[in-house]
Amino acid sequence: MSDAGYVKNEETGRKKKWWIAATIVLLILALPVLVPAAVGVGAAALGLIAALAGCGIAVLLGAGGCALAALVCLAAALLCAVVGTGFGLVMLFSTPASGLAVLGTSLLVGGAGILGCLIIWQFCRFLVWAARKFAGWLNIRLFSANKGKKTTEHQIKDQTVQEEDSHEE
């Protein structure tokens, strides 16, 4: 009875060696298929990451372009307000009712232009802040030295404050 165990172990050891040898031979024979497949999967993953990064950059550039276009339109409105105010003052003496209407409309457009410029300025500041925060988050997630450890929000805040302090000096 005690020999049965040795015989069984010896048979499974032979089977295991043949399985290992067969697996190695099959992997060697499958290399012409596996290597291009692995490269293809890696290229697809890299392409997906690049596409996502491109989308993020496109969104930031699009928002910045919209802010710039709005700023140009508001600057044109301010220029029209200045010109309209001058015409309104001149028309005030020739046709008082029309002069008051043009003067009031011009001052209204000037106030809206100034308010709009302040809103666009704050929006641009927000875009810069958001881009910095996103870049810091990506830096911590992708290039942090302690990849295995989970970073807490407190550590992220400390690192962001340290980066901002180093940029200011």
Side-chain angles (χ1 to χ4, degrees):
M1 288 238 180
S2 62
D3 290 339
Y6 291 117
V7 173
K8 188 176 181 184
N9 283 339
E10 194 173 302
E11 287 177 10
T12 56
R14 285 183 193 159
K15 282 185 179 180
K16 191 173 185 179
K17 289 177 185 175
W18 278 104
W19 272 107
I20 292 172
T23 305
I24 289 173
V25 168
L26 284 175
L27 284 176
I28 290 172
L29 292 175
L31 277 178
V33 175
L34 290 178
V35 170
V39 170
V41 169
L46 186 64
L48 187 62
I49 290 171
L52 289 174
C55 288
I57 291 170
V59 165
L60 284 176
L61 288 177
C66 288
L68 185 64
L71 194 61
V72 168
C73 290
L74 290 172
L78 287 175
L79 180 67
C80 290
V82 169
V83 171
T85 303
F87 278 115
L89 285 175
V90 170
M91 288 177 64
L92 198 60
F93 295 106
S94 61
T95 55
S98 296
L100 280 176
V102 170
L103 184 64
T105 305
S106 298
L107 291 175
L108 184 69
V109 168
I114 290 171
L115 182 63
C117 286
L118 291 173
I119 290 171
I120 294 297
W121 176 56
Q122 290 297 322
F123 180 70
C124 289
R125 285 185 56 201
F126 170 74
L127 281 179
V128 169
W129 174 82
R132 283 185 180 171
K133 288 290 185 182
F134 184 66
W137 181 79
L138 279 179
N139 183 29
I140 290 170
R141 296 291 182 213
L142 296 178
F143 305 113
S144 181
N146 49 354
K147 284 185 182 177
K149 301 177 184 175
K150 283 189 172 180
T151 54
T152 62
E153 292 296 324
H154 183 66
Q155 291 171 338
I156 293 172
K157 187 183 283 186
D158 287 344
Q159 187 170 0
T160 307
V161 168
Q162 290 173 357
E163 288 174 0
E164 288 176 359
D165 289 342
S166 67
H167 288 298
E168 290 175 0
E169 292 176 353

